[in-house]
Amino acid sequence: MKKLLTLFIMVAFVAIACSKSESGTTTPTPGTGGTTLNCSTIDSRFTAVVFPIIQNSCGAVGCHNTGSVNGPGPLTNYDQVKAAAAQIKSSVESGTMPKNGSLTTAQKNAISCWVASGALNN
């Protein structure tokens, strides 16, 4: 009986020790009906990933450049983009933005995860 109890405790210990916990932020995946996206696997750094998407898709086409009055106005620096982060996320996920073009799923995911992770200047 002691051997069986010891074996059971060891198996339980191994099972608990090997279980994987997710510590990343999750957010609904755009266009998937609310399934979750593990943001810990998505590169959503502002300077390296998100801002270039904003510059190329929002500012370069003249919609949100300096002096713009469209939507949230200009999106030419971190402070402006952060102030409009929730609106950008919503517009990107719904597909209403960008008006002149489209974003890939990876680009949409990067923006969604950046906002869900606190819209940090990283």
Side-chain angles (χ1 to χ4, degrees):
M1 184 70 174
K2 279 186 169 180
K3 287 182 181 181
L4 185 59
L5 182 59
T6 303
L7 179 61
F8 176 77
I9 291 171
M10 289 176 60
V11 169
F13 178 77
V14 170
I16 292 169
C18 292
S19 68
K20 183 179 177 183
S21 66
E22 290 187 38
S23 60
T25 305
T26 59
T27 188
T29 306
T32 61
T35 59
T36 17
L37 173 69
N38 183 353
C39 288
S40 66
T41 62
I42 308 269
D43 188 352
S44 60
R45 293 172 293 152
F46 179 76
T47 303
V49 180
V50 174
F51 193 53
I53 296 168
I54 301 293
Q55 288 178 312
N56 293 328
S57 300
C58 308
V61 294
C63 293
H64 297 286
N65 53 357
T66 303
S68 172
V69 293
N70 295 325
L75 300 173
T76 61
N77 60 50
Y78 170 75
D79 291 329
Q80 293 168 340
V81 176
K82 178 166 174 55
Q87 187 176 357
I88 293 168
K89 179 179 184 266
S90 175
S91 297
V92 163
E93 287 180 351
S94 70
T96 59
M97 290 291 152
K99 290 238 186 247
N100 299 323
S102 62
L103 298 178
T104 66
T105 299
Q107 290 172 318
K108 291 177 183 180
N109 291 346
I111 290 170
S112 294
C113 286
W114 174 73
V115 175
S117 299
L120 302 175
N121 189 6
N122 53 357

